[in-house]
Amino acid sequence: MVKFLVSACLAGVPCRYDGAAKTSPEIVALVESGRAVPFCAEVASGLSTPRRPAEIVDGDGEAVLDGRARVVDDRGSDVTAQFIAGAELAFVAAREHGVEEAVLTPRSPSCGCGEIYDGSFGGVRRAGNGVTAALLLRNGITVRSPD
Ligand code: SF4
């Protein structure tokens, strides 16, 4: 029975902005056992792979959902709408599978839990959740990074 929604890149899918995966043996094992469903919010939103790196500017995922912050790529293009759409699709997938917990990729502007980059594209971290993590949390789903 499916228990977890997991970031697809943790499950070995090469869907990150740079066309790579971020494979976690823990997550691959969960998917192979049928207990986790992999999902990539950014790919689901229609963004291509590879794609420009993106960060949240002037806030975190909660602020993006509230219209108080934006997601932009490193050339300044606004991709806020795609990130929100991807988060909503992730929540739909979580609800369809009845999952109560998500295991998500650290520091991603979509999947980050508790820590993200600050929007400067300088590798500076700040406290906060990505847009998908924030939407799942708002809907009562536990989110965490892999062990
Ligand atoms: Fe991985 Fe999440 Fe980024 Fe997709 S949106 S590449 S699943 S971190």
Side-chain angles (χ1 to χ4, degrees), residues 36 38 57 73 91 98 121 135:
V57 176
D73 70 20
F91 175 55
F121 293 92
L135 187 64

Side-chain angles (χ1 to χ4, degrees), residues 17-18 51-55 72-77 79 83 109 121:
Y17 73 94
D18 58 1
R51 53 190 171 275
R52 307 300 308 179
E55 295 190 7
V72 299
D73 70 20
D74 64 344
R75 288 179 173 163
S77 295
V79 287
F83 273 65
F121 293 92

Side-chain angles (χ1 to χ4, degrees), residues 7 9 16-17 22 40-42 51 54-56 61 83 104-117 128-133 145:
S7 295
C9 57
R16 281 165 49 99
Y17 73 94
K22 195 173 176 61
C40 177
E42 293 173 25
R51 53 190 171 275
E55 295 190 7
I56 299 172
F83 273 65
L104 302 177
T105 306
R107 295 182 294 282
S108 154
S110 291
C111 292
C113 313
E115 188 178 66
I116 55 175
Y117 290 109
N129 298 310
V131 183
T132 292
S145 298

Side-chain angles (χ1 to χ4, degrees), residues 33-102:
S33 71
R35 297 175 64 218
V37 58
F39 194 88
C40 177
E42 293 173 25
V43 168
S45 77
L47 291 171
S48 60
T49 307
R51 53 190 171 275
R52 307 300 308 179
E55 295 190 7
I56 299 172
V57 176
D58 295 332
D60 56 11
E62 282 81 6
V64 171
L65 294 173
D66 290 339
R68 294 183 284 106
R70 299 182 305 137
V71 189
V72 299
D73 70 20
D74 64 344
R75 288 179 173 163
S77 295
D78 190 320
V79 287
T80 306
Q82 291 93 324
F83 273 65
I84 292 174
E88 290 171 344
L89 290 167
F91 175 55
V92 168
R95 198 172 46 191
E96 280 177 358
H97 290 280
V99 307
E100 296 177 354
E101 184 169 349

